[in-house]
Amino acid sequence: MARRSIPILKHFLKSADTTSSLFVPSRCVTYMPRPGDGAPRPVTLIPGDGIGPSVTNAVEQVMEVMHAPVYFEKYESLHGDMKRVPQEVIDSIKKNKICLKGGLITPVGGGVSSLNVQLRKELDLYASLVHCANLPGLPTRHDNVDIVVIRENTEGEYAGLEHEVVPGVVESLKVITKFCSERIAKYAFEYAYLNNRKKVTAVHKANIMKLADGLFLESCREVATKYPGIKYDEIIVDNCCMQLVSKPEQFDVMVTPNLYGNLVANTAAGIAGGTGVMPGGNVGADYAVFEQGASAGNVGNMKLVEQKKANPVALLFSSAMMLRHLQFPSFADQLETAVKRVIAEGKYRTKDLGGASTTQEVVDAVIAALD
């Protein structure tokens, strides 16, 4: 299964963001379509909760104007407070092999399991990828930030193995396996190799969790020996957070267990411009689900919903990742270029980016910027 992850990575190939290439994407490889390539592809669409319907509608509008070769099978009935993902949604994703979704709110406490975690386990979406990078024209505290956080998605503290030993004492199990650790390490190094990245950093807490995180590190070290051209180093998760907010430019590709990756990705997103502009995807050997890369704090922000000022940029970028995954690179370039042009011009931005525009005003600006 791990070997099959290599073709998946090729769909994430992305040219570096530079001012000179912002508006004129350059390609050094001839794209040769297969016979029949270009036929419209079905995509399962889950609007989700909170701002989800607003930002997924933004994607639908832009895709329609672009005449992108995709059409959506929409499931509006799925919400985060449900006990399970409906089987019809699972069947749709398995049939289409691709999904675009808005955020699903997970209730805090109460024994309701996360539908996001259910989807990852059911579809074996073992790798989460969040790309946190500065965008031209968008001021941030740090420059030269270009970090890819690759997170193991199926085990760790998210395994959901909890029970009450006696009243007032709860035990929560953290599961780390060599198979999953090697699989995510191979994905991270393959991504670095295919995208001309120079370094992979493993994030851990093996000084305390010597067996669990020790196994994760051991797996990363073994895989690293097979990629001598890529520098490998390790960092303890608490020091990692401090280094991220002080010198984020030192990081390139980061590979993490499940919980640490969630924390690191949201921190890196905040540093690079905010959760509203960071794309992400969850991929496995057979299926892929694309969504906002980091969603801390804004998915369930009902004030944004009422004011109609949710930021659609992150999901638009995630949609570009999806188009590459579907082998439609020219459409992905067209979409990314239009979004970056709107951000660089600065006239239409939502509140989180220092503006006052509504979601629809940003969408209209992106549509006007399409080539």
Side-chain angles (χ1 to χ4, degrees):
M1 185 177 290
R3 293 179 180 175
R4 296 177 64 190
S5 66
I6 296 175
I8 298 172
L9 292 167
K10 295 178 181 179
H11 305 309
F12 283 101
L13 288 173
K14 190 173 185 179
S15 58
D17 293 329
T18 60
T19 304
S20 60
S21 64
L22 175 60
F23 303 132
V24 186
S26 60
R27 306 194 68 83
C28 59
V29 179
T30 300
Y31 176 63
M32 298 180 64
R34 300 186 305 271
D37 198 6
R41 292 286 303 274
V43 174
T44 303
L45 179 65
I46 302 173
D49 300 315
I51 68 170
S54 298
V55 295
T56 53
N57 177 258
V59 172
E60 288 183 277
Q61 291 183 60
V62 175
M63 290 288 189
E64 182 178 359
V65 173
M66 289 175 60
H67 301 292
V70 297
Y71 61 92
F72 295 108
E73 296 180 1
K74 189 186 297 189
Y75 291 88
E76 298 179 281
S77 60
L78 180 57
H79 299 286
D81 58 357
M82 300 172 68
K83 291 184 178 181
R84 291 203 58 80
V85 179
Q87 188 59 43
E88 61 176 349
V89 178
I90 297 292
D91 292 342
S92 175
I93 299 175
K94 287 184 175 180
K95 173 176 65 75
N96 298 330
K97 299 187 182 302
I98 193 84
C99 174
L100 182 71
K101 82 176 192 66
L104 292 172
I105 298 173
T106 300
V108 178
V112 179
S113 62
S114 168
L115 297 192
N116 296 305
V117 174
Q118 284 185 29
L119 275 173
R120 294 165 196 162
K121 289 184 177 181
E122 179 73 24
L123 303 172
D124 195 27
L125 305 172
Y126 68 85
S128 166
L129 186 148
V130 180
H131 189 187
C132 304
N134 293 128
L135 292 170
L138 184 63
T140 56
R141 189 180 297 273
H142 297 278
D143 297 324
N144 304 315
V145 178
D146 189 1
I147 302 170
V148 175
V149 181
I150 295 176
R151 160 193 175 193
E152 204 293 317
N153 230 3
T154 61
E155 56 179 19
E157 292 86 350
Y158 284 60
L161 301 176
E162 295 184 311
H163 62 276
E164 188 173 42
V165 183
V166 296
V169 179
V170 173
E171 188 174 54
S172 179
L173 302 180
K174 172 177 178 174
V175 178
I176 297 289
T177 65
K178 189 172 182 64
F179 172 78
C180 289
S181 297
E182 284 186 346
R183 183 168 67 166
I184 197 65
K186 288 176 181 177
Y187 186 96
F189 276 93
E190 279 295 321
Y191 178 90
Y193 175 77
L194 292 171
N195 288 275
N196 197 29
R197 295 277 181 160
K198 307 302 181 186
K199 182 173 71 171
V200 172
T201 301
V203 183
H204 67 94
K205 191 64 176 175
N207 57 325
I208 302 298
M209 285 168 275
K210 299 181 184 297
L211 293 179
D213 284 21
L215 178 59
F216 176 78
L217 278 188
E218 177 187 316
S219 302
C220 289
R221 290 167 183 168
E222 289 178 4
V223 173
T225 61
K226 301 174 183 178
Y227 296 84
I230 299 174
K231 182 180 178 181
Y232 170 72
D233 62 6
E234 301 165 356
I235 188 169
I236 296 174
V237 63
D238 40 354
N239 182 33
C240 172
C241 293
M242 188 273 288
Q243 294 291 336
L244 269 174
V245 299
S246 57
K247 294 186 292 182
E249 63 278 357
Q250 68 183 289
F251 295 107
D252 192 351
V253 175
M254 306 176 78
V255 60
T256 78
N258 207 335
L259 177 61
Y260 308 153
N262 192 16
L263 305 176
V264 168
N266 279 277
T267 302
I271 291 165
T275 58
V277 295
M278 300 303 153
N282 302 280
V283 296
D286 299 304
Y287 313 108
V289 175
F290 294 88
E291 59 186 335
Q292 185 171 324
S295 58
N298 67 352
V299 169
N301 190 329
M302 298 311 296
K303 188 174 181 180
L304 289 176
V305 177
E306 294 167 2
Q307 296 177 343
K308 300 181 179 180
K309 292 187 176 182
N311 191 345
V313 169
L315 201 64
L316 287 170
F317 278 145
S318 297
S319 300
M321 293 174 67
M322 180 189 74
L323 288 169
R324 284 201 180 85
H325 183 84
L326 292 171
Q327 299 185 12
F328 299 128
S330 61
F331 286 95
D333 289 342
Q334 183 184 8
L335 176 55
E336 280 186 347
T337 300
V339 176
K340 289 178 181 178
R341 180 176 293 156
V342 171
I343 293 174
E345 290 173 352
K347 184 178 180 181
Y348 296 100
R349 292 181 182 175
T350 49
K351 185 177 180 180
D352 59 315
L353 302 184
S357 301
T358 63
T359 306
Q360 190 58 50
E361 287 173 340
V362 174
V363 172
D364 292 340
V366 171
I367 290 173
L370 289 170
D371 293 327

